[in-house]
Amino acid sequence: MLCYPLGVLLSASVAIAPVKPLHANSTSNPQELPVSVAAAIAMPVVLSRAVLSEEPSEVGLTVPSLWWAVQQFGGTTVQRWQAYPAEEGVGGRVDLFISPPAWGRMSYLQRFALVNQLGNSSRSFGYNLILRDRRDVIYGAYTCSFTAVAQQYLPHATDATGNPVPLFLPQTELDCSVWINPNIPVSVF
């Protein structure tokens, strides 16, 4: 008889179901969230157009497209993600679900590198990134002020729903920041 930890069974049973959206006060962290992180969480998004990591489009580009970045940098830390487009314009939110034990084994620099790499990928599609677990604990964030820069789009490209694909080049003068929750300790082996 095969035995699996309860977390594996629970993860498998809800792997494709969208998780409830975050709210600005949905953290069990004793410190308050930075203003940019709280704003990204509280920003109005279109829940009905959520993009789930388990459901790529079969007919066109899925925006945001984070599969390659997660494959390269997420390792065993990233379990899944879901993205919510903004109600107006750019500045949607990606909720990246992580494995708390895997996060705990990472050094601060590894945590920063993960948030920065996946945040850059999210930013390139016009999305903020929030790292959290299924209990709504916020582990980190990569946030940008997208309204400060004129919107550009990939030429001759649309996503699977026919919308233009936003493009934020690395040299774009966006005000972005990385935040790592200081209340989550680093495990020492």
Side-chain angles (χ1 to χ4, degrees), residues 46-117:
V46 183
L47 298 176
S48 63
R49 290 189 25 219
V51 174
L52 306 177
S53 59
E54 298 87 359
E55 298 177 1
S57 172
E58 296 177 8
V59 296
L61 179 64
T62 304
V63 174
S65 179
L66 302 176
W67 290 276
W68 179 243
V70 168
Q71 181 73 27
Q72 283 184 302
F73 307 109
T76 59
T77 306
V78 176
Q79 294 176 328
R80 64 184 297 264
W81 56 268
Q82 57 193 40
Y84 303 102
E87 280 186 354
E88 295 181 16
V90 294
R93 184 182 75 234
V94 173
D95 289 342
L96 190 81
F97 296 90
I98 63 157
S99 163
W103 182 264
R105 289 187 296 272
M106 296 172 75
S107 70
Y108 178 81
L109 290 176
Q110 290 170 321
R111 292 175 181 184
F112 181 88
L114 176 71
V115 174
N116 190 51
Q117 291 291 346

Side-chain angles (χ1 to χ4, degrees), residues 120 123-126 142 146 149-155 166-174 176:
N120 274 320
R123 177 196 47 81
S124 69
F125 288 100
Y142 185 101
F146 291 104
V149 177
Q151 180 63 53
Q152 296 179 29
Y153 297 96
L154 282 171
L167 174 65
F168 290 93
L169 300 172
Q171 68 268 21
T172 302
E173 294 297 323
L174 279 176
C176 297

Side-chain angles (χ1 to χ4, degrees), residues 7 12 24-25 37 70 102 180 187:
N25 60 358
V37 176
V70 168
I180 307 296
S187 296

